[in-house]
Amino acid sequence: MTSIPADFSLPSTVTRTFGLFENCTSLEYVPDSFQLPSRLYDAEYMFTGCTSLTSIPASLFPSESSAIKLGSMFKNCPSLVSLPQGFAMPSKANIEGAFALEESLVQGENLPLYYAGEDTKLIDYPNWSTDRRKLVRPQDAVQGSKTIVFNAKT
C-alpha cells in the first residue's frame, strides 16, 4: 500500500490509533482527504517506521482536535522532509519525539525538516537536535538561493 485510500476514514468515535500504520514501509503519502477524528486522544507511533512516507495533509488534525499523546507519531520516517504550510499540531499535545530519527537513519547528521507554517509548538520545540532533525524555515534560506528537496533511496 503506497497510500491510504482516498475514501478511507476513521469513525468519529475513535480515540486511539496507537501504531495503526507502524512499520508500513511502502506507505508513501497520506491523501489530503484523510483527517483524524476530533475525539482522538492517542496517536503515538501511528506512522512510526513508515520509511517511505513523504507527504502528510495540512489538515491531518481537525482544528478542534483533542489529541494529547502524539509522541513518536512520525518517528523514523526519514523520507518525510517537509511539512505542508498549514500543518499544525493540536495545542495541548505532547509531541516529544514526534519526528525523531534513529542514528542509523541519519548517519551522524541531523536531517532537515522544512516547514513554512506558523505552529509555534513545532517552531519552538526544544528537542529538534536530540531527535536528529533540524527544523528549516523559509527565513533560514540564504538570500537568492533556491531550495530543492528530493528523496532518494539507496
Side-chain angles (χ1 to χ4, degrees), residues 25-43:
T25 58
S26 62
L27 183 64
E28 295 176 4
Y29 67 96
V30 178
D32 289 338
S33 59
F34 184 77
Q35 188 174 64
L36 295 169
S38 61
R39 294 177 62 186
L40 182 72
Y41 173 79
D42 180 359

Side-chain angles (χ1 to χ4, degrees), residues 130-147:
T130 305
D131 290 348
R132 296 180 185 88
R133 287 284 195 165
K134 178 183 181 197
L135 189 68
V136 179
R137 310 265 297 127
Q139 59 268 34
D140 297 337
V142 175
Q143 189 75 1
S145 68
K146 295 187 183 209
T147 302

Side-chain angles (χ1 to χ4, degrees), residues 73-95:
M73 186 174 185
F74 299 100
K75 181 179 180 179
N76 294 333
C77 294
S79 297
L80 187 63
V81 295
S82 66
L83 299 174
Q85 186 166 355
F87 182 81
M89 300 292 254
S91 61
K92 296 179 183 175
N94 172 5
I95 66 166

